[in-house]
Amino acid sequence: MSSNESKTSNENPVWLLKWIPVLSSALGGGALWYSWLLYHEMALSGLAWHGLIKAVFMAGAGILCLAAAVLFLAGRSSGWSVLKGGLSLIPIMLMTNLMILLIRGVIALVQGEAQPFWDRLFSEPKHLIIPVIVVAFALLGVLNKRSNPNNSQ
């Protein structure tokens, strides 16, 4: 057993080491499939620049998850870093969508079309819940790191 394999074995349960390539492949394939569906939907209805951002982030996450699956199958411990990088693109995408929403809100306010924009936005609150949850978890993570300066992870 090489030092990389023993390091990976010591840090994670055996069942996880057997299933993580499958899970990583499923996440990568699902993300690529979803990005293709997003792109196809945008191509039929007109390509909006802010919708393309979500498709690019999802495709990037899918590619990184598939690369992590290959690294896991090769027995490399670097697969964990690549998988974490791919999964970290999802909250970044959601934060980008939240910033785009705020920018579009300011533009609607300046153009005098704020009332229809906010009515359309708040007619379905499910569109806001995921970015709110991501912002809350990000703030909790930052506050947790500041309160525990000796914890290095």
Side-chain angles (χ1 to χ4, degrees):
M1 208 185 242
S2 71
S3 63
N4 283 344
E5 290 177 10
S6 63
K7 180 182 176 186
T8 305
S9 300
N10 292 337
E11 294 175 354
N12 302 300
V14 175
W15 66 268
L16 182 62
L17 294 176
K18 290 180 182 178
W19 283 98
I20 197 67
V22 174
L23 294 173
S24 182
S25 298
L27 287 172
L32 288 175
W33 175 69
Y34 182 68
S35 65
W36 175 253
L37 287 179
L38 280 174
Y39 177 75
H40 183 66
E41 181 180 311
M42 286 185 300
L44 292 177
S45 64
L47 199 60
W49 65 271
H50 52 82
L52 191 60
I53 291 173
K54 184 187 289 187
V56 168
F57 272 110
M58 288 301 289
I63 291 169
L64 287 175
C65 287
L66 288 176
V70 171
L71 289 170
F72 286 132
L73 289 173
R76 305 281 182 163
S77 62
S78 60
W80 289 107
S81 298
V82 175
L83 181 64
K84 287 179 186 177
L87 294 178
S88 68
L89 287 178
I90 305 301
I92 293 170
M93 174 193 66
L94 293 172
M95 290 296 293
T96 305
N97 286 341
L98 187 60
M99 288 189 289
I100 290 169
L101 174 71
L102 292 174
I103 291 170
R104 290 178 67 197
V106 169
I107 290 172
L109 184 66
V110 169
Q111 292 178 346
E113 301 170 356
Q115 186 64 35
F117 175 78
W118 294 113
D119 288 341
R120 215 177 35 232
L121 178 67
F122 290 116
S123 65
E124 294 186 38
K126 68 179 181 177
H127 296 296
L128 288 177
I129 194 68
I130 293 176
V132 168
I133 290 171
V134 169
V135 169
F137 281 133
L139 287 174
L140 286 173
V142 168
L143 292 174
N144 189 23
K145 284 183 182 180
R146 286 188 183 179
S147 66
N148 296 330
N150 295 334
N151 188 7
S152 59
Q153 287 185 347

